Amino acid sequence: RMKERLPRIPWRLWSLVAIMVALAGSLGPAIDGLRAHLFGYFATLWIAVGPTCCISLATQFRGGKPTAKFVLGWLAGIGFPLFLCLPLVSTAREAGRRTQCLSNLRNIGLTSLQSENRERIFPARSADGKPLVSWRTNTYVYSSREERTDHVPPTYDFSKSWDDPANLALGREHFRVLTCPSNFNPTDEMGRFFTAYAAATGPMTAFPKSQALPPEQITDGKSTIILFGEASGLNIVWTEPRDIDTARLPVGINLPGCRRGDSHGTLSSYHRGGANVVFADGRVKYLSEQIDPSVLKALLTATGGEAVDDSRF
């Protein structure tokens, strides 16, 4: 009687639904918006007819054994929607990682704008000829010690270079604010952590030489001057006194490199489609890799005299 009451679902309809769901699940990761739209459509459809479909399929058993229609229908009705959910979970996780990355850059930008940090925010050679020291080492190691955190980082020998064995222990120290959560290759072969963030250095930038440009000398407007940005593709160890050299690196975001994860452009990240930056006014933003190179070049300069409208980036 139950079987007589329930409507039999045409097998052709189930085949069409299975093909449509499979097509939606096979969409590439570059079109997450369409994937989410299709998933919402099929989820609504399944909520509307799913229970009836399952009961109807269950009545198609013959002699206690499932028919081919039952197995294929079950896969179409249950398997493919679950398969479709997996990329959405991955997309949600990546959105959270990108938000955390923006938060890291915001903290770096605000720290650099504090007057007490202005003298140590950039690599500088001391008068007695000691090796260069990264602004990341100067800023975050000493701030951790000054704040007297539970974990005190290893000491740093300023008389030796950053890659000397004496400074290896500090390079292996992990500072989350300097690491992008999306980095799938966090350390080098010696166990030293890469940083995702670097300063924009070079002629007419906010860091033109061996010190930060005084605020009064910034003429292009603080809201359109990039101080720091993602440079994951350069594989910079966080204690290494190296940053984004705008005079030598090609202008672009996520430019292709020789190996997976490498990029020798001015900005690079492990986020899909762009990279995060922080401006001289403390504002953070995600820049698309489709940005006009001339606009990006103007954003990297502090005294170039270019006027850049917000609508262009």
Side-chain angles (χ1 to χ4, degrees):
R1 294 181 180 179
M2 177 66 71
K3 183 176 180 180
E4 294 176 354
R5 293 177 184 177
L6 294 174
R8 291 188 61 85
I9 299 176
W11 180 243
R12 293 179 180 178
L13 177 60
W14 267 112
S15 301
L16 178 60
V17 172
I19 293 173
M20 294 177 67
V21 174
L23 178 62
S26 64
L27 292 175
I31 47 177
D32 290 319
L34 180 59
R35 184 197 296 269
H37 175 77
L38 288 173
F39 174 76
Y41 170 77
F42 285 115
T44 303
L45 179 64
W46 178 249
I47 291 173
V49 302
T52 302
C53 293
C54 287
I55 297 174
S56 179
L57 286 170
T59 62
Q60 298 182 22
F61 275 95
R62 294 292 185 271
K65 296 181 180 180
T67 64
K69 290 183 179 181
F70 174 81
V71 175
L72 294 177
W74 183 264
L75 291 176
I78 299 295
F80 283 118
L82 291 177
F83 172 75
L84 197 60
C85 288
L86 297 179
L88 295 179
V89 173
S90 177
T91 300
R93 287 180 178 177
E94 173 54 27
R97 295 187 187 112
R98 198 172 81 176
T99 300
Q100 181 59 47
C101 183
L102 278 171
S103 178
N104 290 346
L105 270 173
R106 182 182 290 107
N107 290 334
I108 291 173
L110 293 177
T111 300
S112 70
L113 295 175
Q114 297 173 1
S115 58
E116 61 268 24
N117 293 321
R118 188 164 299 280
E119 295 300 324
R120 64 187 186 193
I121 202 62
F122 192 79
R125 186 177 295 278
S126 59
D128 56 0
K130 290 183 179 180
L132 289 174
V133 179
S134 170
W135 60 268
R136 292 173 287 266
T137 302
N138 279 332
T139 303
Y140 290 98
V141 172
Y142 280 100
S143 62
S144 297
R145 289 171 179 164
E146 291 169 359
E147 294 170 2
R148 296 181 180 180
T149 58
D150 295 336
H151 176 70
V152 179
T155 58
Y156 187 87
D157 191 344
F158 290 91
S159 65
K160 299 179 180 179
S161 63
W162 70 274
D163 55 351
D164 190 272
N167 295 322
L168 179 61
L170 184 61
R172 292 173 173 171
E173 194 74 12
H174 186 205
F175 283 82
R176 294 186 181 276
V177 71
L178 298 175
T179 305
C180 175
S182 296
N183 192 345
F184 60 85
N185 183 33
T187 62
D188 65 1
E189 63 280 359
M190 301 181 67
R192 298 173 299 191
F193 279 90
F194 292 125
T195 181
Y197 315 113
T201 69
M204 296 188 295
T205 66
F207 304 101
K209 295 181 180 180
S210 60
Q211 60 184 1
L213 196 68
E216 60 273 10
Q217 294 185 19
I218 296 178
T219 59
D220 286 1
K222 295 182 179 180
S223 62
T224 57
I225 297 173
I226 295 176
L227 291 184
F228 305 93
E230 288 191 87
S232 299
L234 297 180
N235 294 328
I236 303 174
V237 175
W238 76 270
T239 53
E240 181 181 1
R242 179 163 63 102
D243 286 275
I244 301 169
D245 190 346
T246 60
R248 301 180 60 182
L249 297 174
V251 178
I253 300 178
N254 294 338
L255 300 180
C258 300
R259 299 177 302 174
R260 179 174 179 261
D262 287 358
S263 177
H264 297 287
T266 46
L267 295 174
S268 54
S269 78
Y270 294 117
H271 308 300
R272 186 180 301 117
N276 295 318
V277 298
V278 58
F279 293 94
D281 61 352
R283 180 172 59 112
V284 293
K285 189 169 184 178
Y286 179 75
L287 297 182
S288 170
E289 59 188 26
Q290 303 300 324
I291 188 173
D292 188 332
S294 62
V295 174
L296 180 58
K297 184 176 180 180
L299 294 176
L300 291 168
T301 60
T303 58
E306 305 97 337
V308 183
D309 188 81
D310 286 354
S311 61
R312 300 187 65 188
F313 64 92

